[in-house]
Each structure stands twice: as C-alpha cells, then as structure tokens.
Amino acid sequence: MKIETISIDNPLFEEVKKLGKRNSTSLGHMPDGGFEDYAMNNGIIGAHENGILYGYLMFRKVYRNNRINIVHLCVNTTTRRHGIATQLLHRLIEKFNATNFRSLELHCRDDYRKASQLWSKIGFVAVNDKRSKSKVEHSLIHWVYTLKSDNSIFAPTNYPDAVVKALLDTNIIVRLRDHANSELDNPLILFADSIYYATQYFVSDETYSETLRDENQNRSKLTRNYIQSYQRVSASSISIIQLSKDLKNIIAGESVNDESDRRNIATCIVNEIPYLLTFDIPLISKSDAIELQYGVKIMHPTQFVVELDSLQNKDAYNPTFLQGSMYHTVSKIEVNELKTVQELFYRQKQGENYRSFKSTIFGIINKQHGRIKVVRNGSSIIGVIGVICENSTMDVPLIRVEDSKKGKYLFMHLVSDIISYAISEHVSCIHISEPFISELCVEIPQQMGFMAIEGVLTKYINDKVIKYDELASLIKNKENSINISVDSLSAYDIEKLFFPLKISDSDIPSYIIPIKPYWAQSLFDHIEASLSLFGVDTVKLWNIENVYYRSIRPNIEKSGARILWYVSDDHNSSRRKGIVASSYLDQVHIGEAKRLFERFKHYGVYDWSNIMDLTNHTPSTIIKALIFSHTEVFQSIVPLNLIREILGNKNMTFQSPYKISAANYFRIYEQKNGRI
C-alpha cells in the first residue's frame, strides 16, 4: 500500500471526491471547489494500492497560529479495521513533526465513539467542546495533538479560534427548514463539523418580517419556529431606514425583495457582521461595490466554506479598514484638542480615575523625550498614543483606540509601528504600561512577541546576529523572569519573536526574490516612497504583513523561510539593482489568479487590474501568492555587483526567485548598513 499526497491532476483525486460525498452524512458536505482547493494546496493524503483508493486524510494549514486542522479522515467501508486511518494520521504527524507547526487539531462529535477512541490512541487530547448543529443534541469535541511542547502564551491551545460571523439570508433558512438541498445550493455545508466550530450564524429582524409575508400560515409558523434556534440581531429603525436609503445607490430596485436585501445588509453594517450568505446570484453580483463602501461581503455558502481559512485571517487582520487614517503630531497640543482626547479615551467604565488619566497625559508631554500623537480618520480622532524614550528603553504608558472593529485593527498597527520605530532608533526594550487596554485588543501584543512581566507588557529588541547556543544566555541576561523554553520553539519562531534577531547557524531556508521598484515601494520600501514613520504629515501603508503575487515558475519557495528582496532596474527609482529589505515568508499559496486575489485582496495594495496584467488578462491562470511579514528595510541598498561577488557568480541577474545558503544570506544581510 502506498500513502502519498493526492494532487488535483492525480487520477485518484476524483475517487477522493466520490468517497467524501458517499460519506457526507458523517463528514459533512464538501463542495467540489473545496476538494479542489485542498488538492491545489497539497492538503490531501491518500492511501491506495493498484489504483484503488483505500482512504484519504484532508487537512489545512492555519498559519495564523501554526496549527494543522484535520478536515476529513475517511476510509472505504471495504477496507476499514485494517489500520489505514492510523497510517494516514501517522503520515501527517511525520510530515509536520519537524516544521514550525505546533499542533494537529480537529473537531469531532462526541457520539462518534470509534473515532474518539482512535484520536485518543494516536495521542490526541480532548481540550473543550461546542454544541453541534445536528438534529439530536451533541457536542463537538476539540482534539489536539501537540507537535511542540510549549506552556507559554505561544502554545497552540492558548490561541482562541477566530470565529467568523455571518448573517443567513431567508432563502438559506427556507432550504434548511425544508431540507431542500441540491448539489449546487446545499446550505448543509455551513454546518459540517470541520466548519461549524469556526463560525457564528445570525438571522435578522427582516427574516422574521419575511415569514409574516408568507400567505401560507402553517408554513409561516413553521419557519418562525425553526429560526428560534438561531441568534437574532437587531438594529435601530432609524439606522436601518437611513442605510437602506443609502444602499439604493447600489441596489436600486423597488420590489419587496430589493428592500429586504437592503435591510439585511444594513443589519450587517450596524452589527459589524462582515458576511451575508445567500443563494441570490444577482445580489452576490453587488458584493464588490457593497464591500468597498460598507465592509460587508455577500457570498454564496459554497464560496464561504471554501474560503473560510482566509476569512478567519481576514477577520483577524484587515488593513483596508484603516484606509484614510494618518498620523498627526500633537506634542504641542492645543488645549481644546487635548480636552477632546481626554473625553474620547477616558475609561470610566473600566474604573479609571479621571485625574489620574489627565496626569498620565501631562506626564508624557512634560517629559523631555515624551511625545503624544493622535490618529485621525478625516476630522475624527480614532486613536491616541504616548511614548517616552529614555536610555534605550521605550515606555508606552498610553495607547488607546476607539472601541470597535476598526479600533482593533488600528491597535494592531500602532503596536507594529512601535516595534518598527524602536528598531530604527536602536531601542533595546519596549514596555507597554497602559493599564486599560480594551478587551478586543488585549491579545494583540502577546501575538506580536510581548510578554507579561510583573504586570507590564515587555518586548526586547535584539538587532544582532548570534549563534543558537548564545540564545539562552542572551534571554537570561535580559530578564530572568522571562518564561520561555527556547527548546520548544523553532529558529524561525524565535527570530520572529525577538525580531530583528537572527540566528546564524539555523536551518531556515533563504531566498532572493526579485521585485519591481514600484511594488517594493508600494509594499514595504518606505525609504524609496519618502515615508518617515513618526514624521509630520505622513501617510503610511500600515501593513504588518502583506501579499506579493508572482508567476508559478520556478516553484521553489517554501513557507517558514527568509526573503531578501532584490529590486530590479528602473531609471525612475533611486533604489534599484540591489537588495533593499528582508522579510519572513509565512505562507505560499498556489491557485487560479481570480480565486487567489479574492482570498487576499483585503491586504489592499493590489488591484484586480494588476493581477490581470500579471496573467495577460486570463483570470484562470495559475499564479502564486506569497504572504510575508516582519519586513526590515535596509538603509543602504546592497548593490548587484556586491551580491555577485558574495555568491561567486558574476553573471547573476535575478530574473526569478533564487535559493541561497544561510551563510550567503548573512553575508548579504550584514551589508544592510553599507559595506564594512
């Protein structure tokens, strides 16, 4: 018997789909697009012999918290009780045991006794449960197999799932009520165990109103009884009426259905529910315009299921929410503006003393190296940050944002900018001593490498290149109370945690990737773009991570790697024909251009026209999306002639990505401040 990855062009791929659909009652319905998406990303392992498929395991990589989610484990009825499921699981463990991923995880109903025995036998541990959506009440048990032992805040089970919220249109509710499910429009895919744990579905007041318009009284009552099992969301009548009027610019019809659509979208807007799910194709066609203006995306359930992973990440990180925001210096603040800041960000509900809050603000202003800045969206102040830099230490006693989804994203970017500024100013330690971080934002600093030390969030900045055996003493010298076992973390994790620290004798893969000056400037090169992090009148691309699209060939990049960005020749650019920055390559995705752009367009730099140029106006072209983060822009460009000298190749031109040794990576990286 052979166990191997089943690609989309493997003859057994069709057998995988057939086997999955035959067992959809227990697995949950998976659309063809879902199978294709997993196969395209090497997410299906199959066991077979002589062209006969015995079983398969389908999984997805969740890069946001470095785990593998098992979606399907399915064995043919004729070959069960032969250890095939166990062999598939062991192959998955073997595949990811020596990688950056920390755990394998799955959700399984508590009444699936045989499966539960298997998980336990393999070494999975049940950590919690959630009510399933089956007709008979059951729980979804969350099972975890730990690949890397870690009791710190970076442990797999310490990361909460990013729950994606969606409003269900009435046409979905009706199909669920009647069990009227076709292959194309099957709402049951929304409640598969592998999907349901990460979602939260709502119905609106408008759905209740629609049931009353049903002339069949018995059916109307049946629908009202059915939707009692869903959480109902409301909004003020004034808000719904006004938003419905505004939405006529996009949905102009005057029919009852048109008005109902507008009210559902308005309900999503008011309640900050980012997705409206529907089978209404004409309504879905309006999605781009509505998402651009109001931040609500309208999707078919199948599309929602296929893209759930990227939607989870988008909900956690969406820089487009911050378009139009900018920094303004307010160190010399006018009295009336200072009063506005105090009124906006005083945390009375959290028990803050007003006089103490004022004292904090004036304490920062009166410090020689203290400064306060506000963040504006138009004429509105949406955030405030106060920093004091003294003796290579940056203290942040004040960092507050508006209490909303936009505020959450803003907070993330403020923390990112604090880190970037600390690196540029050679600060060795950042203390966030702000005592009133909102509940929405409290996990963000920890996810960005801050540790709670004696009640203060602390991050050490190590702008050094060291050897692995120097790491323990470096951490110990910084602060004895840091509770991190470096043995439980990969070199890749450690470098990102203590960014921009580099470990010279690690086995992290390294690549030189070419990029045009325009895209380097748009994505990260603030020097070429004449941007200054804390300067006056600065408009900044606040992307703590980003996406870069390129052609599929050569297909050499692997995630969990370092990137050196080589900027190609362009006479309009001052920083060209050389390496200008380094980053970490977190994810590599391959797929049709249209589908990849749909998944990652929330990063907000690329337009569809840019993707069309890349593919010669063929949306079905297979391309690659590289998700990268922790970019360090070099003050001095490392020129082509020096790179050739280091690599020992005088003809190197970098027309495509090029893998280099770790030794050569560091020879180039050490030139970032000019040749020594």
Side-chain angles (χ1 to χ4, degrees):
M1 183 176 67
K2 188 174 183 180
I3 299 178
E4 63 178 351
T5 299
I6 305 296
S7 63
I8 199 167
D9 54 357
N10 189 312
L12 289 171
F13 175 64
E14 290 299 321
E15 296 304 312
V16 167
K17 290 198 296 183
K18 291 177 183 177
L19 181 57
K21 290 177 180 180
R22 284 201 302 270
N23 291 274
S24 61
T25 303
S26 56
L27 295 173
H29 180 79
M30 174 66 67
D32 284 353
F35 283 105
E36 292 165 5
D37 193 64
Y38 284 107
M40 190 75 72
N41 287 285
N42 298 317
I44 302 176
I45 298 173
H48 63 93
E49 190 173 45
N50 299 325
I52 299 173
L53 180 71
Y54 290 165
Y56 73 91
L57 188 155
M58 189 157 67
F59 63 92
R60 58 175 177 257
K61 302 172 185 176
V62 184
Y63 293 97
R64 190 175 60 88
N65 42 33
N66 286 340
R67 72 185 182 196
I68 302 297
N69 273 4
I70 297 174
V71 179
H72 284 181
L73 177 57
C74 186
V75 177
N76 206 319
T77 53
T78 60
T79 53
R80 289 177 184 172
R81 294 185 293 279
H82 288 78
I84 292 171
T86 299
Q87 292 183 61
L88 286 167
L89 285 166
H90 281 308
R91 177 58 59 88
L92 186 69
I93 293 168
E94 178 186 317
K95 182 180 179 69
F96 292 103
N97 195 43
T99 67
N100 296 317
F101 290 95
R102 295 191 176 97
S103 64
L104 312 178
E105 306 191 18
L106 59 93
H107 289 76
C108 180
R109 271 176 39 182
D110 58 355
D111 59 322
Y112 292 169
R113 301 294 184 185
K114 294 287 187 183
S116 295
Q117 291 172 9
L118 173 64
W119 311 137
S120 184
K121 179 181 177 182
I122 295 294
F124 285 77
V125 176
V127 295
N128 55 45
D129 58 42
K130 175 182 177 178
R131 170 75 170 88
S132 75
K133 199 63 179 176
S134 55
K135 293 180 183 178
V136 179
E137 184 169 342
H138 290 292
S139 290
L140 288 178
I141 306 298
H142 183 186
W143 293 88
V144 176
Y145 182 97
T146 301
L147 296 170
K148 287 184 173 64
S149 178
D150 186 1
N151 294 319
S152 72
I153 59 171
F154 308 101
T157 54
N158 287 340
Y159 284 100
D161 287 314
V163 175
V164 181
K165 298 179 179 180
L167 187 74
L168 302 182
D169 199 358
T170 306
N171 52 43
I172 291 179
I173 294 296
V174 168
R175 281 187 173 272
L176 288 168
R177 178 202 67 194
D178 296 342
H179 308 289
N181 306 312
S182 65
E183 180 65 26
L184 180 62
D185 292 340
N186 191 337
L188 291 178
I189 61 176
L190 298 171
F191 301 100
D193 293 348
S194 59
I195 299 297
Y196 184 61
Y197 78 93
T199 58
Q200 186 175 8
Y201 301 127
F202 301 89
V203 294
S204 68
D205 287 342
E206 180 60 25
T207 298
Y208 281 79
S209 297
E210 285 195 76
T211 65
L212 295 175
R213 290 196 289 268
D214 188 346
E215 295 180 358
N216 185 321
Q217 293 300 308
N218 290 332
R219 189 170 58 196
S220 174
K221 184 177 180 180
L222 183 65
T223 307
R224 290 199 301 277
N225 289 336
Y226 176 76
I227 59 180
Q228 295 298 322
S229 61
Y230 294 90
Q231 186 172 340
R232 180 177 174 180
V233 287
S234 304
S236 71
S237 297
I238 293 175
S239 298
I240 295 295
I241 291 170
Q242 184 56 55
L243 281 168
S244 294
K245 288 180 180 178
D246 296 341
L247 283 162
K248 281 190 174 182
N249 293 325
I250 301 173
I251 303 173
E254 296 295 337
S255 70
V256 173
N257 285 340
D258 291 326
E259 180 59 27
S260 181
D261 290 340
R262 289 191 288 265
R263 286 178 173 272
N264 271 332
I265 296 168
T267 301
C268 287
I269 296 169
V270 172
N271 289 280
E272 294 189 343
I273 298 174
Y275 305 101
L276 171 61
L277 306 185
T278 183
F279 292 127
D280 187 339
I281 301 303
L283 181 58
I284 292 172
S285 70
K286 306 287 186 181
S287 180
D288 286 347
I290 291 169
E291 184 181 18
L292 180 64
Q293 190 166 344
Y294 298 101
V296 173
K297 185 173 181 62
I298 304 171
M299 305 180 76
H300 191 284
T302 298
Q303 182 189 7
F304 180 78
V305 168
V306 169
E307 298 181 13
L308 182 62
D309 287 337
S310 58
L311 298 183
Q312 284 182 282
N313 186 61
K314 178 180 176 181
D315 192 54
Y317 173 70
N318 191 343
T320 57
F321 273 86
L322 297 177
Q323 289 178 350
S325 300
M326 60 185 294
Y327 271 116
H328 285 255
T329 301
V330 292
S331 298
K332 298 178 180 178
I333 193 168
E334 298 292 336
V335 175
N336 62 334
E337 196 164 37
L338 179 57
K339 185 177 180 180
T340 300
V341 169
Q342 292 170 355
E343 291 174 350
L344 284 172
F345 299 107
Y346 166 46
R347 302 302 192 205
Q348 182 180 18
K349 291 182 179 179
Q350 292 177 254
E352 184 174 30
N353 181 282
Y354 186 69
R355 291 181 65 182
S356 176
F357 179 46
K358 288 179 64 176
S359 177
T360 298
I361 293 174
F362 283 104
I364 297 168
I365 293 173
N366 292 331
K367 285 280 188 179
Q368 181 181 355
H369 300 290
R371 68 187 79 179
I372 292 181
K373 296 182 179 291
V374 296
V375 185
R376 302 178 190 276
N377 188 8
S379 60
S380 301
I381 296 175
I382 61 173
V384 61
I385 182 170
V387 298
I388 302 169
C389 292
E390 292 179 332
N391 302 321
S392 299
T393 299
M394 176 187 288
D395 185 28
V396 186
L398 178 66
I399 176 170
R400 302 189 184 186
V401 294
E402 66 176 31
D403 195 14
S404 67
K405 182 174 287 189
K406 178 180 285 188
K408 174 186 173 183
Y409 302 128
L410 175 59
F411 187 89
M412 184 182 297
H413 285 272
L414 287 175
V415 174
S416 175
D417 280 355
I418 288 169
I419 296 170
S420 298
Y421 182 66
I423 292 169
S424 69
E425 296 297 309
H426 306 290
V427 168
S428 61
C429 182
I430 305 170
H431 297 298
I432 298 181
S433 53
E434 164 66 76
F436 293 100
I437 296 175
S438 72
E439 188 176 340
L440 278 172
C441 303
V442 71
E443 294 173 354
I444 290 171
Q446 294 181 346
Q447 293 173 358
M448 300 178 75
F450 283 80
M451 294 160 282
I453 300 175
E454 297 180 356
V456 175
L457 291 167
T458 300
K459 180 175 176 65
Y460 292 102
I461 306 295
N462 295 278
D463 191 9
K464 297 179 180 180
V465 176
I466 65 171
K467 290 188 176 180
Y468 198 89
D469 59 11
E470 299 175 74
L471 181 64
S473 61
L474 177 69
I475 295 174
K476 186 176 180 180
N477 289 338
K478 286 293 183 184
E479 179 61 60
N480 289 326
S481 59
I482 295 179
N483 182 27
I484 292 183
S485 169
V486 295
D487 295 334
S488 68
L489 300 176
S490 69
Y492 181 77
D493 290 329
I494 293 167
E495 286 196 4
K496 292 181 71 176
L497 178 61
F498 292 104
F499 176 77
L501 177 78
K502 297 290 186 291
I503 302 174
S504 61
D505 54 348
S506 63
D507 58 355
I508 301 173
S510 302
Y511 304 96
I512 295 176
I513 296 182
I515 188 171
K516 293 181 179 179
Y518 171 80
W519 288 116
Q521 175 181 327
S522 300
L523 292 169
F524 53 78
D525 193 356
H526 58 79
I527 296 175
E528 178 63 27
S530 300
L531 297 178
S532 174
L533 183 63
F534 269 63
V536 180
D537 297 328
T538 294
V539 178
K540 187 177 182 296
L541 290 175
W542 281 352
N543 286 24
I544 61 175
E545 66 179 20
N546 222 320
V547 60
Y548 176 59
Y549 299 96
R550 73 166 198 85
S551 61
I552 184 65
R553 293 191 184 0
N555 186 20
I556 65 169
E557 307 100 309
K558 304 295 183 184
S559 60
R562 303 186 189 105
I563 297 173
L564 289 170
W565 294 102
Y566 175 84
V567 176
S568 56
D569 196 9
D570 185 333
H571 294 296
N572 295 320
S573 173
S574 61
R575 287 162 62 85
R576 56 192 174 91
K577 295 186 71 174
I579 289 172
V580 301
S582 67
S583 301
Y584 288 92
L585 180 57
D586 298 323
Q587 305 173 38
V588 178
H589 296 272
I590 296 172
E592 291 186 1
K594 185 174 183 180
R595 291 179 65 182
L596 282 186
F597 179 72
E598 186 65 30
R599 290 179 67 178
F600 301 119
K601 69 179 181 181
H602 63 276
Y603 285 103
V605 176
Y606 283 83
D607 293 325
W608 176 238
S609 61
N610 304 133
I611 306 301
M612 291 295 281
D613 290 341
L614 175 64
T615 63
N616 292 321
H617 297 269
T618 308
S620 60
T621 300
I622 303 298
I623 63 171
K624 183 178 293 187
L626 307 180
I627 309 297
F628 64 93
S629 67
H630 292 70
T631 298
E632 183 182 2
V633 179
F634 298 170
Q635 289 295 320
S636 300
I637 187 171
V638 184
L640 178 59
N641 61 338
L642 180 53
I643 303 168
R644 287 171 169 171
E645 180 183 324
I646 291 171
L647 298 181
N649 187 337
K650 64 180 181 180
N651 297 316
M652 183 65 68
T653 59
F654 301 110
Q655 298 298 312
S656 59
Y658 182 76
K659 188 173 184 179
I660 59 174
S661 66
N664 282 336
Y665 171 89
F666 284 107
R667 291 189 185 103
I668 295 170
Y669 180 79
E670 288 168 355
Q671 310 302 319
K672 63 181 180 176
N673 295 319
R675 186 160 191 175
I676 301 172

